[in-house]
Amino acid sequence: MKRREFIKQTGLSAITAWAGSSLLLSACHTEEDMMGEANWIVEGGFTQALFKPVVVEGNTQLIVQTTTGQLLNGSSSSILSYRNGLLGNTIKATRGETVSVQVQNNLGEETNIHWHGLIVPEDMDGHPKDLIAAGSSFTYALPINQRAGTYWYHPHPHEATARQVFMGLAGMFIVTDSEEAALNLPTGDFEIPLIIQDKRFSGSSLDYSPSQDEIMTGYLGEQIIVNGTYAPYASVAKGWHRLRLLNGSTARVYNLALSNGMPFHVIGADGGLLAAPESVNSLMLAPGERADVLIDFSGLALGQSVYLLSKKFSQYNVQGRQQYNIMKFVVEQATAPAFTLPTNLSTINVIPTASAVTTRTFDIAALVGGMGGHGGMGRHSIGGKTFEMDRIDETVQANTTEIWEFDNRMGDEIHPMHIHGVQFQILERTGGRGNLIATEKGWKDTVLLMPGEKVRVIMTFPAYTGVFVFHCHNLEHEDDGMMLNFEII
Ligand code: C2O
Ligand code: CU
Ligand code: CU
């Protein structure tokens, strides 16, 4: 059975609840498309100050625990934590050093840590086979030998990744290098990390309980939190700021823009700086993706505010049909350090397509095993397969270049595809949006495929041999089996 037919039969209560919405009436869609309106965003008052995660430089320790977090205007909830609240500290490292992170697992269940975007040896990568048992600890040694950029860390135990991330386990990992330092980008109070996530609550408790159809669409929360703060505001100055954006949601895609329509300047993507800044009015950011942007608030008057919001981006998907505010910037300081937007940022060595030794194509649109779970709909797959821990699905040679194609042309769901152990370049997107956005002109480890799209990426595998995974970063899809192993030999 196709997903939409299933939704048609099960989504009646949601449809009834929203039948009066003029937005939906004007959108003029069939009732099957109305599923998901129960996940309409509820905006807060933007009265809580944005929390800024503590930055730790170099070696550190993470104690993974169940704790009580203060959420939503003082209510408290049981959460999973790397410190004593949602999200872990930001770990900062300089290219060339080796960072060791000792992880003490005080949860009553297995966990591990994947260093998303970092290129590290197999046994340090947080493959789902490499778990830290409840009550045990493991020390990750991470040789940092890659471009400056905004990376992040989160758990990766198969079938528990989405829940553990949703319940609070994630953090930023920033790499710096001399190339980036020479640009004198806004720093200190003028550099703001923004980890954007959607959460769902049952009463005042964080609630992760996806239904069968939410495993299909992704689990969408009704409240947007940034750095763990619901509906926050940040005090800014009349001048330049650097925002390091990370979409740490399990499934929600954001189409980021500013409420006054002001452009902002994209300077970096998953794998660090772009060759040159690109000015945009909006920017799509899928789960797992990062964007480094510069904003100049000097055109605003003291006391004025502007919202970071998500614009509509889809007419028919369960998400993307609503515009909502994410956070507020209030201009409260008259001056910021002088800064001029550079014309060039970095050198990106384009990987020649002729250097690819092979092309692999993966159909990511099909649901397989249709008589199984999810009301008979089947499970998310890559190339017709779902994850098996001990099966090697693809074998590649260290230090060689390949082209991989992800094909969602027949699909009706959103899939952000992520590959461990490499940074890639995107060659082209055909179908759907049909082009590359600003961040996609830089180094990437995660790429968004909207329904109808096909994307080709090129990458050179590192010298690290061993088994790594690639998967959909819609974490409900990943836990559903939309993940495969590849071995670098
Ligand atoms: Cu952030 Cu395997 O993922
Ligand atoms: Cu990763
Ligand atoms: Cu997916």
Side-chain angles (χ1 to χ4, degrees), residues 297-315:
F297 291 105
S298 62
L300 280 87
L302 270 182
Q304 245 187 311
S305 54
V306 61
Y307 289 93
L308 175 68
L309 52 79
S310 180
K311 291 168 72 161
K312 294 181 199 178
F313 58 86
S314 168
Q315 291 302 308

Side-chain angles (χ1 to χ4, degrees), residues 63-65 79-83 85-88 107 111-112 152-155 161 163-171 197 199:
I63 299 174
V64 201
Q65 58 194 317
I79 61 169
L80 303 185
S81 180
Y82 288 131
R83 45 176 196 97
L86 289 173
L87 304 174
L107 300 178
T111 191
N112 67 352
W152 66 300
Y153 60 95
H154 62 77
T161 297
R163 176 177 49 82
Q164 290 191 359
V165 171
F166 182 92
M167 292 305 288
L169 299 180
Q197 300 176 303
K199 299 292 181 200

Side-chain angles (χ1 to χ4, degrees), residues 82 110-114 126-128 130-132 140 154-157:
Y82 288 131
E110 294 170 314
T111 191
N112 67 352
I113 298 191
H114 168 58
H127 186 284
D130 299 319
L131 297 172
I132 309 170
Y140 290 91
H154 62 77
H156 222 297

Side-chain angles (χ1 to χ4, degrees), residues 114 116 418 420:
H114 168 58
H116 183 131
H418 169 53
H420 285 212

Side-chain angles (χ1 to χ4, degrees), residues 29-173:
H29 284 285
T30 57
E31 53 183 40
E32 68 195 21
D33 292 326
M34 291 186 187
M35 182 60 192
E37 305 307 343
N39 308 118
W40 222 241
I41 295 297
V42 180
E43 283 181 14
F46 301 98
T47 53
Q48 304 192 81
L50 178 76
F51 173 75
K52 214 172 158 182
V54 170
V55 178
V56 293
E57 307 218 5
N59 302 347
T60 188
Q61 188 194 33
L62 297 172
I63 299 174
V64 201
Q65 58 194 317
T66 302
T67 180
T68 300
Q70 303 298 316
L71 306 165
L72 297 188
N73 290 318
S75 70
S76 60
S77 166
S78 173
I79 61 169
L80 303 185
S81 180
Y82 288 131
R83 45 176 196 97
N84 213 359
L86 289 173
L87 304 174
N89 295 334
T90 296
I91 301 174
K92 200 168 182 177
T94 305
R95 182 172 187 161
E97 66 180 317
T98 294
V99 175
S100 76
V101 184
Q102 195 217 336
V103 180
Q104 171 66 41
N105 178 12
N106 288 347
L107 300 178
E109 61 177 317
E110 294 170 314
T111 191
N112 67 352
I113 298 191
H114 168 58
W115 312 91
H116 183 131
L118 295 185
I119 298 164
V120 296
E122 177 210 35
D123 53 346
M124 298 295 150
D125 187 59
H127 186 284
K129 68 182 162 48
D130 299 319
L131 297 172
I132 309 170
S136 304
S137 75
F138 181 78
T139 301
Y140 290 91
L142 309 169
I144 306 300
N145 185 25
Q146 62 189 92
R147 307 174 84 236
T150 306
Y151 305 96
W152 66 300
Y153 60 95
H154 62 77
H156 222 297
H158 187 46
E159 297 179 331
T161 297
R163 176 177 49 82
Q164 290 191 359
V165 171
F166 182 92
M167 292 305 288
L169 299 180
M172 221 177 237
F173 195 112

